[in-house]
Amino acid sequence: MSDEIVLSALGLVKRFGGITATQNVTLNLRRGARHALIGPNGAGKTTLINLLTGVLEPSEGRIVLEGQDITTLAPHQRVRRGMVRTFQINQLFASMTPLETIALVVSQQRGLGARWWPSLGADKAVAERAAALLEQFHLAEVADQRTEHLAYGKRRLLEIAIALACEPRVLLLDEPVAGVPAGEREELLQTVAALPADVSVLLIEHDMDLVFSFADRMTVLVNGAVLTEGSPDEIANDPEVKAVYLGHGEEAAHG
């Protein structure tokens, strides 16, 4: 991990009517980082990610990606600039196979647009990249199955593969193991651990085993504000963080 900051949230505030969901949040993601964003339910993690990705517009503050202010950019423009978030498989992909899905994303990424299907056979680079992603994400053996028939863990792997097919420089991993049965988790955990070193990752996750095995930096959100930030060791031994997670103290009661 270098000292270069690739993504900054600077004094972000988000108000919904009289409720302040995000309170003056500042967060810096360094190049190559494995940075976890944690906190109790209602801490404001999802709101913050929605602000970073452009789903929501901040009431105050700004967002800087690789030196460029992106506060007012639409979500698709942020993706084009290299910031990608894992997302739930939507209806568009349910009837497609992982191979078709990845080929489509790779083709769009390379400017081939709607010509994706002919290019799957004709464009060697697209075919090779799609095959490599399917292999990397343990999807090769289910490459020709309809996505709606895949095991849940495989669908989560496909989400991350889609995100990687967009060639991100910053990847927002949104609870990758949420809802994944125990028997399907190991593959997913290994895949997350093996993400490319040059991709800076911000992980939002409740699974503390995953967080502590993955992260080299952690930010703790409580009631929409940053409680503390530090290394995994510092966070693990922080009495305030322990109080929040053990359900003691005012923060936990309102989390």
Side-chain angles (χ1 to χ4, degrees):
M1 182 175 67
S2 79
D3 288 335
E4 183 189 355
I5 293 168
V6 291
L7 176 66
S8 289
L10 302 166
L12 287 187
V13 175
K14 182 60 184 176
R15 299 185 193 91
F16 297 100
I19 298 169
T20 303
T22 306
Q23 302 186 50
N24 196 33
V25 170
T26 292
L27 184 149
N28 291 308
L29 183 68
R30 298 184 185 281
R31 187 170 299 284
R34 299 292 185 259
H35 195 133
L37 181 64
I38 65 172
N41 286 334
K45 301 184 295 295
T46 300
T47 301
L48 179 58
I49 295 305
N50 284 337
L51 290 169
L52 292 174
T53 53
V55 175
L56 293 173
E57 195 175 322
S59 306
E60 293 174 29
R62 60 197 189 97
I63 301 157
V64 177
L65 177 65
E66 296 192 318
Q68 301 293 312
D69 191 317
I70 62 164
T71 312
T72 59
L73 289 188
H76 71 274
Q77 293 173 309
R78 299 181 196 213
V79 172
R80 215 172 282 147
R81 299 226 180 171
M83 182 166 65
V84 179
R85 173 189 189 173
T86 53
F87 53 94
Q88 297 295 329
I89 301 296
N90 60 31
Q91 294 308 306
L92 172 65
F93 298 120
S95 63
M96 293 169 63
T97 68
L99 175 57
E100 290 167 344
T101 303
I102 296 296
L104 169 61
V105 178
V106 171
S107 296
Q108 287 182 330
Q109 186 65 26
R110 297 181 181 210
L112 299 171
R115 294 185 291 120
W116 68 280
W117 185 242
S119 73
L120 184 57
D123 192 308
K124 193 178 174 194
V126 169
E128 286 178 352
R129 176 68 176 145
L133 282 164
L134 291 167
E135 192 66 42
Q136 180 183 347
F137 288 92
H138 309 281
L139 294 164
E141 74 276 17
V142 295
D144 297 316
Q145 288 183 27
R146 283 164 64 114
T147 297
E148 62 192 350
H149 297 145
L150 297 182
Y152 190 65
K154 292 291 187 188
R155 276 185 275 163
R156 297 312 296 258
L157 285 166
L158 181 56
E159 285 177 39
I160 305 173
I162 290 167
L164 259 286
C166 295
E167 298 177 15
R169 291 186 295 285
V170 173
L171 176 64
L172 307 181
L173 265 185
D174 200 348
E175 299 197 25
V177 297
V180 177
E184 298 174 36
R185 287 165 68 93
E186 191 54 41
E187 219 172 36
L188 217 148
L189 295 174
Q190 288 173 3
T191 302
V192 168
L195 286 168
D198 60 343
V199 177
S200 309
V201 181
L202 181 61
L203 171 75
I204 306 91
E205 185 52 71
H206 284 289
D207 185 314
M208 288 299 107
D209 289 340
L210 169 57
V211 166
F212 280 97
S213 66
F214 179 79
D216 50 39
R217 192 87 186 151
M218 297 168 72
T219 298
V220 184
L221 276 192
V222 176
N223 293 337
V226 175
L227 176 69
T228 188
E229 184 180 305
S231 69
D233 280 348
E234 289 167 338
I235 297 301
N237 294 302
D238 187 301
E240 276 193 286
V241 176
K242 284 182 182 178
V244 169
Y245 273 101
L246 292 173
H248 303 308
E250 207 174 350
E251 298 93 348
H254 295 296

